[in-house]
Amino acid sequence: MTTLDQALIDASDALAKARLDQHRIEARTLLSHVLKMSSAQILSRGDTEIEVAALSAYRDAVSSRCAGMPLAYITGTREFWSLPLQVSPATLIPRPDTETVVELVLEHYRNRRQPDTILDLGTGSGCLLLALLTEFPDAHGTGIDLSADACSMASANAALLGLAGRSTWVTGSWTETISRTYDLIVSNPPYIPTHDIGMLQIDVRDYEPINALDGGVDGLDAYRSLFPLAENALAPEGLLAVEIGIDQGIAVSEIATESGLVSGPARVDLSGIERALSFYKKGVGINEATR
Ligand code: GLN
């Protein structure tokens, strides 16, 4: 017979052999997921026997993790901005880096009228838009993604968070689906240079959707198509906030300027890397003094 404690030890050993630093925590997270029990419940029942079917499901989950599948795809969940979100291989797994975009937006609106309308380009799991909708309780948001599966996931997340009534999810290309203006536009577009994709960690490279990562030869293709569209779709006093990759700040700002936008504040992520940039429309609306 195998107890919960023994199953945990075996899993932790296997995960450690696969060079996963957080092997103990991950073993517990996976067992919680399989048994649908909290970590506290598992710890308090360590000497009870694990059922055969559960043990086999647990071993499968541990093997998937050892093979490199991201934890979030196995458990189907990931927290973003303290919101429990569902994720699937159709969407990028929400990252703490992307919370930098939310912080930059909140900073901008600290002393301003909150946005009524928000657009999220390449919404994926919906994480950016859903976080912003919880922060701006009177706003309505539209999330656009090329992937129908991503849109279904984002829409399911909105429903679980009670945000379905304030959000619309549209499958399609940015060029074809934007038909009005928005007070706030956000995006975490694909920005990894194609050549660098092969050097990403296995769990990213082999499991996450390539369309959400690959930004073309120099990683900047998405910004080239996004900025002219956003310039057009931004309300006069609107804000555009985007996530960028390492050392892309100057190049991305140049593309924005060429598209008629003006640079606003930037923000660094938890590692001190410039991660979020903001832009305004030129000439109209927000004057220099209030920026
Ligand atoms: N930050 C992600 C990574 O490095 C990339 C996200 C993106 O391309 N938008 O894996």
Side-chain angles (χ1 to χ4, degrees):
M1 91 162 203
T2 307
T3 62
L4 297 190
D5 275 347
Q6 191 56 49
L8 273 176
I9 291 167
D10 294 346
S12 182
D13 286 350
L15 293 164
K17 280 204 191 88
R19 298 179 186 280
L20 293 159
D21 293 343
Q22 310 274 322
H23 48 98
R24 280 201 192 82
I25 297 174
E26 293 204 8
R28 216 178 303 145
T29 304
L30 288 170
L31 192 56
S32 287
H33 166 67
V34 168
L35 297 179
K36 306 208 176 350
M37 282 163 63
S38 70
S39 290
Q41 285 172 323
I42 289 172
L43 289 178
S44 67
R45 294 181 207 175
D47 53 4
T48 47
E49 189 176 351
I50 182 167
E51 285 177 20
V52 176
L55 183 59
S56 148
Y58 186 42
R59 285 183 176 148
D60 286 350
V62 171
S63 306
S64 298
R65 184 66 189 120
C66 288
M69 182 179 281
L71 195 64
Y73 287 157
I74 303 173
T75 63
T77 57
R78 174 54 52 93
E79 204 166 273
F80 181 82
W81 202 251
S82 298
L83 304 172
L85 297 181
Q86 291 189 359
V87 292
S88 79
T91 72
L92 207 62
I93 297 167
R95 290 156 163 72
D97 295 346
T98 305
E99 295 182 340
T100 316
V101 179
V102 181
E103 290 165 358
L104 181 63
V105 168
L106 294 187
E107 183 66 33
H108 173 84
Y109 286 102
R110 194 191 295 267
N111 299 311
R112 288 186 175 88
R113 193 177 171 277
Q114 296 195 352
D116 291 325
T117 51
I118 309 174
L119 174 66
D120 181 8
L121 296 170
T123 195
S125 63
C127 61
L128 257 181
L129 183 54
L130 294 167
L132 291 166
L133 289 174
T134 60
E135 294 293 336
F136 300 127
D138 296 323
H140 185 281
T142 302
I144 301 179
D145 205 288
L146 260 183
S147 154
D149 289 342
C151 280
S152 323
M153 183 98 299
S155 161
N157 277 324
L160 284 171
L161 297 171
L163 296 169
R166 293 199 286 124
S167 56
T168 308
W169 308 95
V170 184
T171 304
S173 76
W174 302 344
T175 21
E176 281 159 21
T177 45
I178 306 176
S179 56
R180 47 157 300 163
T181 59
Y182 295 86
D183 298 325
L184 169 62
I185 302 179
V186 293
S187 184
N188 172 20
Y191 55 64
I192 310 277
T194 307
H195 181 72
D196 294 350
I197 297 279
M199 293 183 272
L200 296 173
Q201 280 178 275
I202 290 177
D203 48 356
V204 179
R205 188 193 68 201
D206 291 356
Y207 291 91
E208 297 203 69
I210 189 79
N211 288 344
L213 294 166
D214 189 342
V217 173
D218 62 359
L220 306 176
D221 281 359
Y223 302 102
R224 291 190 185 93
S225 62
L226 189 155
F227 287 146
L229 290 172
E231 203 281 330
N232 226 352
L234 212 52
E237 301 210 357
L239 178 78
L240 166 66
V242 296
E243 179 170 326
I244 58 166
I246 297 175
D247 291 336
Q248 291 180 334
I250 292 172
V252 169
S253 297
E254 269 173 25
I255 299 171
T257 308
E258 282 161 17
S259 311
L261 293 159
V262 179
S263 288
R267 198 172 172 97
V268 297
D269 65 19
L270 292 171
S271 317
I273 293 167
E274 189 175 59
R275 186 59 74 183
L277 300 183
S278 68
F279 302 96
Y280 312 110
K281 269 175 103 81
K282 199 188 268 175
V284 282
I286 304 167
N287 67 46
E288 296 293 335
T290 60
R291 278 177 190 169

